[in-house]
Amino acid sequence: MVSKRRLSKSEDKESLTEDASKARKQPLSKKTKKSHVRVEVEENDSVFVKLLKTSGVILKTGESQNQLTVDQIVFQKKLFQTLRKHPSYPQIIEEFVNGLESYIEDQDSFRNCLLSCERLQDEEASMGTSYSKSLIKLLLGIDILQPAIIKTLFEKLPEFLFENVNSDGLNIPRLIISQLKWLDRIVDGKDLTTKIMQLISIAPLYLQHDFVTSLPEILGDSQHDDVGKELSELLMENTLLTVPILDVLSSLRLDPKLLTQVRQLVMSKLLSVKLDDLPVIIKFILHSVTATDALEVISELREKLDLQHCILPSRLQASQSKLKNKGRQSSSGNSGQDCVILLFDVIKSAVRYEKIISEAWIKAIESTASVSEHKTFDLAMLLIIYSTNTQTKKYIERVLRNKIRSGCFQEELLQSTFYIHYLVLKDICPSILSLAQSLLHSLDQSIILFGSLLYKYSFKFFDTYCQQEVVGALVTHICSGNEAEVDTALDALLELVVLSPSAMRLNAVFVKGILDYLDNMSPQQIRKLFYILSSLAFSKQHEASSHIQDDMHLVIRKQLSSTVFKYKLIGIIGAVTMAGIMAADSRSSNLTQGRTDLSNEEYTQVTSLLQLVHSCSEQSPQASALYYDEFANLIQGGKLAPKALEWVGQTILNDFQDAFVVDFCVSPEGDYPFPVKALYGLEEYSSHDGIVINLLPLMFSQDFAKDGGRMTSKESDQKVVSPLCLAPYFRLLRLCVERQHDGNLEEIDGLLDCPIFLTDLEPGERLESMSVKEHSFMCSLIFLTLNWFREVVNAFCQQTSPEMKGKVLTRLKHIVELQRILEKYLAVTPDYVPPLANFDLETLDVTPPTTAAISAKIRKQGKIGGKKRKADGSKTSSPDTLSKEDSSECDPTPSNRSQLEKEFKGKEERTSVSLQNYHAFFRELDIEVFSILHCGLVTKFILDTEMHTEATEVVQLQPPELLFLLEDLSQKLENMLTPSVAKRIPFLKVVTLNLLQSKGNRNIGFSHLHQRSAQEVAHSIVQLLTPMCNHLENIHNYFQCLAAENQGVVDGPRTKVEEYHMMSSCYQRLLQIFHGLFAWNGFFQLENYNLLYSALEVLTNRLKQGEPDQSLDELLSQSFNYLQNFSHSIPNFQCALYLIRLLMVILEKSTAPTQKKEKIASLAKQFLCRVWPSGEKEKSSIPTEQLHTLLSVYLEHTDSVLKAIEEIAGVGVPELINSPKDASSSMFPTLTRQSFVIFFRVMMAELEKTVKGLQAGTAADSQQIHEEKLLYWNMAVRDFSILINLIKVFDSRPVLHVCLKYGRLFVEAFLKQCMPLLDFSFRKHREDVLSLLETFQLNTRLLHHLCGHSKIHQDTKLTKHVPLLKKTLELLVCRVKAMLIFNNCREAFWLGNLKNRDLQGEEIISQNSQESAAEESEDDTASQVSKSKTTEDAENDEVSDGEKEQDSDESEDSD
């Protein structure tokens, strides 16, 4: 009754709505087949219409919606029950469907059936959902009707496939398919699947796309596999449907095997797909990845996905041009970029939420070894994963560092990555800056450089906000105080100023803040900072940067007028740097575009600034000297405008002459403590002409002995220039003249010849009688003279005339003579502080090492003095770098110097002062000075007064001068080309070496050198390779002849000791320079490839004139052969080690190193088997670290490590044992009782390293492989047995420590690598396995005795290894038992107790062992009947090891 009432209300309401609808839609109605019927309600007598009306649906004609008078569920239920209870069921269904087919023949009626019905309900009912399903969808929800209606729809659908869209905008095929979506139940899913796939195969492309994407919404889960197979087949036939098919497959629940097949199919087509389709394809591939195949899939994906070529070159160029114009946004037409961004969004999502994908991606990149295989995509992916996944940051940083070190990620790759993917990367700018900050904290220079490049390209490619962040980060690094960070960050800022001055000017306020942190910066860093600020302040847009100019002037004036000396020096550096930018020569500067010469206003500003600096510094000699040096550096850079250069030239020359030069005929007046003489003149002067450097009189007026030249003269009424300024002032003068006259120094060439007012410097017998003040005065006089000569050599070294060359060589000779005299004075002058020669801030607090004072008392404190000398005087270097002091004099050892003083014949005593400790107090030699190495024989003409040749003199570079140059060159090379990591000092030594090895003091005396890049220095040294090869060959010939004269003994009776040591030192320095050059890591950079090629060509051409265009490998091979030839004339062990290192460096650069590897091993063995000349009768001249290195090289490069170890331990050591106390092994003369521990340590370490690298055997390996590995392990255990048993003879503490440490590691390697092999080999090689275990068991028993020995002696260094060793031995027992059980041989295993014994085999009696003595059984129990049983029993003593270890632990704990 209720339903009837509701129905009647609905009908009443329906009649009203029908009238309204008719009135509203009458003008728009179309003509239908029943046009004569004016009402819109469909009325006929068909079963279809009647049943619908009965169930609650009123069909309408025209464009009116069908009306639903009841709830949708009610309608479906009513219709189902009506059909089900109909008398003619199931024929009624066929009639109903036929009626539907007839009804939908009319297109409007069909459309109405596909559109949603109109609801006619009361207000209460209308409060529910307003959405109504279409009639077709309602009928599809009835199970008994669904198959027939689906069939009808699919028969009807082809009629509309190729028709255009109706005028009302409806697409009938899409409407039909939408009816099938989200059905509650599908009766016949298989049939529906078949029909849809058939439909897809014939439909046009745009409908195919829609039909495919609708599949997940139509089909049930049970049909997913069938559809997946159908779609995968369709994918092979029609690539145009790739995107929708993959999109659908991602949404289906498919069999993993099917997904894998589809993925492989897609991967094979990846190179040919459209860029627009790529995001969907990649999404499917990543979606289908599983943990097992992730690495394989990602590896293949990164190989095939080359986005570098996805963006067309024209678009790339357009994007680059937009970057230059600060147009950061991509154009609307740049669909390629949009697709790439979309692709990266897909990848970002995958790596963020799928840990296996991110880890696999990193591993895929990490496992790529070849440099050429790395792409921009790899680098972009690492940056993206770094930004999205915080858990993998450390992992990514480690991968990046390794790739940078190996040269896989270089600047070109990084630049291309930013060029191509900058739109993607700008979204992760904070993460990139965080990564750059982390990389800048590294110790490796290449990693630090990469971090700075990240900053550089982030600034270049990203927006203003990111630029501000970049500058802020760099400023933070600069203020951090870490030297490497500060240098790199300043270099990066400087580069940004050059590349983008306008953008940097916006951030100048951040850079300006660094001025508050100048205290902790080095002079070179201060120069860079002021250069950056000056460049920003004095560029062409003066108005925009006037505030920076004002601040700069204020800061500099404040510093110049400061009473604190340090700030005054900072002010001088800043002022000169700023003046250089203000007066920059437009021909050589990119920062001052559009300038010609200086305007009058600019000229006035520059000159007034320089005059201000001059006036503020003239009261202090040190400040004046720094001003001259800074100005000289500025002029040397060639950046000064002609007008400013002319002003400087006019003022300098006259001032120099007035201050330091006097006429030869004017004798100095005054009461001097020494007679004044004009010495070291190169020309004969008459009494009326010529000039002299007025050094001694000037110096006497200063109190050098008291304050080192830091105070001015006490005579206030007369201006006296300090002699401290002599060398700096001359350098400024020389560079100014050189720049004005294009390198011609005729105007000042008289200064090369002229003598100096000095006194007799050779001390002779008066050395002991002089006072301390006189000693100090003479030392200062010699220091100043030396620095004058060094600057003179700097000035005239590049003059080409033979006359000038000869004079320069003579000056070099004078330098060497003066250094020899200076050593004598320094040896008797304790606590002497020389006058400064380098005036940077770093030298303010530098004092010479205390060894100068100690050396005078060396005869009383021989050993102590030597040790202190080693601590304070050694250079900062890598642990494997040879000590300069030891090598320069070829000293046998750094200690016991007093014994060495008696080595040289004809000398009663020899001082131990090393001038290298005074390196900071000598003027720096320019890199151009080493062109003197080119000099062979130079003929110098001596002219008379009428300029006629009076005589000729032949001058040649002698060994002392050669050694002087080579020592200086090797120091420069080490400072510039040795990586900063190698130069760092181990933490524990920092306190001891604090004086001369702090981070700042390391660079003292190299300020001019540091104004050049490492590439420039390396290029200069390559230019010197030819003359250095000449010298190397000459020294080689010298030692060859010496050996021939002395019947093969290099230090025979005919040897001149001093000459021999001098030539040995030259030899070593040359090899050291060669090694430093070729070990430079800059050769791995692509831009330095040609430089390496040139260097190798020089060496190759020494053998034979090489053919043009040889490959790098050919050049490396020829160079290796050339250098190898020098091995026959090596005079000492240090030279031998440097030659080996040099050959190894050459070998590392080769792509086929195995061919030469054996040669290095052979050469190393020759050196180990050679008798080296000894500096002392008692001890060898071979430092322990160097012997360790050479022996390691031999064992690492030999083809059979085990045979080499057996030869040394089995032949060499027994010879040593049978030899007298101080003798050595006849086969290995380097093996003595003192060096045995080194040999033992290296052999044990290499043995453990070798067996650890051997792969464990598997059951799948062939029988031959098992036998080979078993034989290998037999040899290894035999070697181990030989080495272990040596502790019975050599039982010193270091030897026992090595035995405990490496013994445990060897047993661990045996467990991991050998025991799996024995598992599979036991049955076929039973005797061999048992023999191996028996031998090894004896060794482990000895290790157990060693543990007892360590505990009895209570040596903590030894006992700390005991617990781990015992644990390992117990594991071995258990593992052997498991192996026997695995091979069904359990009866061979028995358990016993092992007594504690010491190294001599004596039983160790403890409380526990006494109580349990009756219960203990001896380890050598009665043997069984058969041999195999005997060996098994012997093997089983392993178990007694383990049990006894537990017993002994308990007993010792109770004690």
Side-chain angles (χ1 to χ4, degrees), residues 603-861:
Y603 175 75
T604 306
Q605 284 183 350
V606 172
T607 52
S608 61
L609 179 62
L610 292 176
Q611 285 169 352
L612 172 68
V613 178
H614 183 71
S615 62
C616 290
S617 61
E618 63 182 356
Q619 299 302 317
S620 165
Q622 188 177 342
S624 297
L626 176 64
Y627 167 55
Y628 299 144
D629 270 344
E630 288 297 310
F631 211 160
N633 293 338
L634 185 65
I635 293 173
Q636 189 178 28
K639 297 174 182 175
L640 212 58
K643 199 170 184 179
L645 194 62
E646 185 180 352
W647 173 81
V648 174
Q650 289 173 352
T651 55
I652 287 178
L653 186 58
N654 295 331
D655 289 350
F656 182 82
Q657 290 178 346
D658 295 342
F660 301 109
V661 179
V662 295
D663 290 334
F664 186 80
C665 58
V666 178
S667 58
E669 299 178 358
D671 184 17
Y672 301 112
F674 305 103
V676 180
K677 297 181 180 179
L679 302 176
Y680 294 106
L682 301 184
E683 299 285 354
E684 292 294 332
Y685 290 120
S686 66
S687 59
H688 300 291
D689 59 359
I691 56 174
V692 185
I693 301 298
N694 190 32
L695 183 58
L696 191 146
L698 274 178
M699 187 186 152
F700 185 69
S701 63
Q702 309 291 314
D703 192 6
F704 269 89
K706 182 177 180 180
D707 53 26
R710 301 186 187 186
M711 302 292 292
T712 55
S713 172
K714 296 176 182 177
E715 301 177 18
S716 57
D717 57 338
Q718 182 181 359
K719 180 182 177 183
V720 178
V721 180
S722 168
L724 199 65
C725 300
L726 172 61
Y729 212 152
F730 172 68
R731 177 178 175 81
L732 175 60
L733 171 65
R734 180 262 296 188
L735 286 167
C736 197
V737 171
E738 193 175 69
R739 186 66 59 192
Q740 284 181 309
H741 299 88
D742 297 324
N744 190 341
L745 297 178
E746 286 184 4
E747 190 174 339
I748 57 170
D749 61 357
L751 295 174
L752 173 62
D753 306 320
C754 71
I756 309 173
F757 275 142
L758 299 169
T759 186
D760 288 328
L761 299 176
E762 187 67 49
E765 296 178 356
R766 58 182 179 147
L767 184 64
E768 301 292 339
S769 61
M770 294 170 68
S771 66
V772 173
K773 190 168 184 179
E774 287 174 337
H775 281 156
S776 297
F777 184 86
M778 293 299 287
C779 285
S780 297
L781 192 62
I782 297 173
F783 266 108
L784 290 171
T785 308
L786 275 170
N787 286 329
W788 165 253
F789 283 156
R790 288 169 82 102
E791 279 301 341
V792 167
V793 170
N794 278 340
F796 296 97
C797 63
Q798 291 184 292
Q799 300 300 306
T800 54
S801 70
E803 179 82 8
M804 299 289 255
K805 284 184 177 180
K807 290 177 179 178
V808 170
L809 286 175
T810 306
R811 286 299 186 212
L812 264 183
K813 188 177 179 182
H814 292 158
I815 290 174
V816 175
E817 290 174 1
L818 283 171
Q819 288 190 165
R820 180 180 53 80
I821 296 171
L822 180 60
E823 285 181 355
K824 296 178 182 178
Y825 280 106
L826 289 175
V828 295
T829 314
D831 303 325
Y832 167 70
V833 179
L836 291 179
N838 302 287
F839 302 94
D840 289 344
L841 302 180
E842 294 165 342
T843 59
L844 277 178
D845 303 318
V846 169
T847 54
T850 54
T851 48
I854 294 170
S855 61
K857 307 169 186 177
I858 197 165
R859 287 179 295 278
K860 298 179 182 178
Q861 305 176 5

Side-chain angles (χ1 to χ4, degrees), residues 101 104 110 114 136 140 146-161 173 176-181 183 186 188-203 211 215 218-219:
E101 289 176 357
I104 63 176
F110 187 35
L114 295 173
I136 297 292
L140 285 170
Q146 190 188 84
I149 292 176
I150 287 175
K151 180 181 177 184
T152 302
L153 287 175
F154 277 97
E155 288 174 352
K156 188 76 175 170
L157 201 150
E159 298 176 14
F160 303 96
L161 284 180
I176 294 173
I177 291 297
S178 69
Q179 308 305 307
L180 301 172
K181 294 181 180 179
L183 295 178
I186 295 175
D188 190 354
K190 220 170 227 185
D191 180 62
L192 179 59
T193 303
T194 306
K195 284 183 168 61
I196 291 181
M197 296 311 297
Q198 288 174 350
L199 180 65
I200 290 172
S201 63
I202 62 169
F211 293 166
L215 285 173
I218 296 173
L219 301 174

Side-chain angles (χ1 to χ4, degrees), residues 94-134:
E94 188 177 344
E95 292 178 26
F96 184 85
V97 173
N98 290 337
L100 172 64
E101 289 176 357
S102 303
Y103 178 73
I104 63 176
E105 285 179 2
D106 177 61
Q107 188 169 342
D108 287 341
S109 299
F110 187 35
R111 184 202 62 202
N112 284 344
C113 291
L114 295 173
L115 295 173
S116 60
C117 297
E118 183 181 8
R119 301 281 299 274
L120 291 178
Q121 295 178 337
D122 55 16
E123 292 180 2
E124 185 181 345
S126 66
M127 301 218 20
T129 176
S130 60
Y131 169 72
S132 297
K133 297 178 182 177
S134 66

Side-chain angles (χ1 to χ4, degrees), residues 95-300:
E95 292 178 26
F96 184 85
V97 173
N98 290 337
L100 172 64
E101 289 176 357
S102 303
Y103 178 73
I104 63 176
E105 285 179 2
D106 177 61
Q107 188 169 342
D108 287 341
S109 299
F110 187 35
R111 184 202 62 202
N112 284 344
C113 291
L114 295 173
L115 295 173
S116 60
C117 297
E118 183 181 8
R119 301 281 299 274
L120 291 178
Q121 295 178 337
D122 55 16
E123 292 180 2
E124 185 181 345
S126 66
M127 301 218 20
T129 176
S130 60
Y131 169 72
S132 297
K133 297 178 182 177
S134 66
L135 175 61
I136 297 292
K137 190 143 194 165
L138 289 171
L139 296 177
L140 285 170
I142 302 171
D143 291 353
I144 56 177
L145 291 175
Q146 190 188 84
I149 292 176
I150 287 175
K151 180 181 177 184
T152 302
L153 287 175
F154 277 97
E155 288 174 352
K156 188 76 175 170
L157 201 150
E159 298 176 14
F160 303 96
L161 284 180
F162 299 99
E163 287 187 6
N164 294 328
V165 178
N166 293 342
S167 59
D168 54 7
L170 295 176
N171 186 304
I172 299 300
R174 287 176 178 165
L175 270 179
I176 294 173
I177 291 297
S178 69
Q179 308 305 307
L180 301 172
K181 294 181 180 179
W182 308 118
L183 295 178
D184 294 335
R185 182 169 178 270
I186 295 175
V187 177
D188 190 354
K190 220 170 227 185
D191 180 62
L192 179 59
T193 303
T194 306
K195 284 183 168 61
I196 291 181
M197 296 311 297
Q198 288 174 350
L199 180 65
I200 290 172
S201 63
I202 62 169
L205 182 62
Y206 79 98
L207 286 177
Q208 284 181 322
H209 192 288
D210 289 344
F211 293 166
V212 170
T213 52
S214 301
L215 285 173
E217 301 160 3
I218 296 173
L219 301 174
D221 291 354
S222 59
Q223 305 304 315
H224 283 189
D225 282 337
D226 294 335
V227 174
K229 292 175 184 176
E230 295 273 357
L231 288 177
S232 62
E233 292 172 4
L234 182 61
L235 185 64
M236 288 189 281
E237 298 169 6
N238 190 349
T239 55
L240 297 175
L241 290 177
T242 301
V243 171
I245 289 175
L246 294 181
D247 201 13
V248 168
L249 289 176
S250 299
S251 306
L252 300 180
R253 296 174 60 185
L254 301 177
D255 180 45
K257 293 182 180 178
L258 178 63
L259 271 179
T260 304
Q261 291 174 0
V262 176
R263 186 180 65 228
Q264 290 171 350
L265 174 65
V266 173
M267 293 285 266
S268 64
K269 296 182 177 182
L270 198 59
L271 295 173
S272 59
V273 299
K274 291 181 181 178
L275 183 59
D276 296 347
D277 300 343
L278 209 50
V280 177
I281 294 173
I282 299 302
K283 181 181 180 182
F284 168 76
I285 292 173
L286 297 178
H287 173 78
S288 65
V289 165
T290 61
T292 54
D293 59 9
L295 182 58
E296 180 187 351
V297 172
I298 299 297
S299 298
E300 187 178 356

Side-chain angles (χ1 to χ4, degrees), residues 1334-1348:
E1334 180 183 6
T1335 307
F1336 195 54
Q1337 184 263 334
L1338 295 173
N1339 301 331
T1340 56
R1341 185 176 300 170
L1342 192 54
L1343 287 175
H1344 178 76
H1345 294 166
L1346 180 54
C1347 292

Side-chain angles (χ1 to χ4, degrees), residues 308-492:
Q308 192 165 347
H309 304 295
C310 292
I311 304 171
L312 297 177
S314 58
R315 290 176 182 164
L316 184 58
Q317 290 170 5
S319 67
Q320 290 178 14
S321 64
K322 276 184 286 179
L323 280 175
K324 292 176 183 176
N325 298 325
K326 294 294 177 184
R328 304 291 180 186
Q329 301 299 324
S330 63
S331 61
S332 58
N334 196 350
S335 60
Q337 280 283 21
D338 294 339
C339 289
V340 171
I341 293 172
L342 196 59
L343 169 66
F344 274 106
D345 286 340
V346 169
I347 296 174
K348 278 183 196 176
S349 177
V351 297
R352 178 181 284 117
Y353 300 114
E354 293 291 341
K355 185 180 179 182
I356 57 170
I357 294 178
S358 60
E359 289 181 350
W361 216 305
I362 300 170
K363 284 179 182 175
I365 297 173
E366 185 180 20
S367 59
T368 306
S370 172
V371 177
S372 58
E373 290 178 8
H374 288 86
K375 307 173 183 177
T376 58
F377 185 52
D378 292 337
L379 197 48
M381 277 308 306
L382 286 179
L383 295 175
I384 285 170
I385 299 173
Y386 187 86
S387 67
T388 56
N389 199 329
T390 54
Q391 296 176 346
T392 56
K393 282 191 174 184
K394 293 292 182 186
Y395 184 17
I396 291 175
E397 284 181 20
R398 187 172 74 248
V399 172
L400 265 175
R401 290 169 195 269
N402 293 335
K403 292 292 181 185
I404 295 166
R405 285 192 194 99
S406 62
C408 295
F409 286 175
Q410 297 180 352
E411 182 175 0
E412 295 79 8
L413 186 71
L414 184 62
Q415 185 178 11
S416 302
T417 305
F418 273 86
Y419 267 133
I420 295 167
H421 302 303
Y422 72 93
L423 288 175
V424 176
L425 297 180
K426 73 176 183 180
D427 295 332
I428 58 171
C429 176
S431 295
I432 293 176
L433 298 188
S434 171
L435 176 63
Q437 182 180 10
S438 175
L439 294 180
L440 247 68
H441 292 153
S442 172
L443 303 180
D444 193 323
Q445 193 59 39
S446 59
I447 295 173
I448 295 174
L449 178 62
F450 194 86
S452 73
L453 290 174
L454 281 175
Y455 280 128
K456 171 185 169 184
Y457 291 122
S458 298
F459 187 91
K460 183 177 180 182
F461 287 94
F462 297 158
D463 55 23
T464 309
Y465 171 75
C466 290
Q467 289 178 344
Q468 182 176 315
E469 291 296 307
V470 169
V471 175
L474 288 173
V475 169
T476 304
H477 283 299
I478 292 169
C479 301
S480 69
N482 182 300
E483 185 187 13
E485 281 187 51
V486 175
D487 285 333
T488 308
L490 281 170
D491 289 338

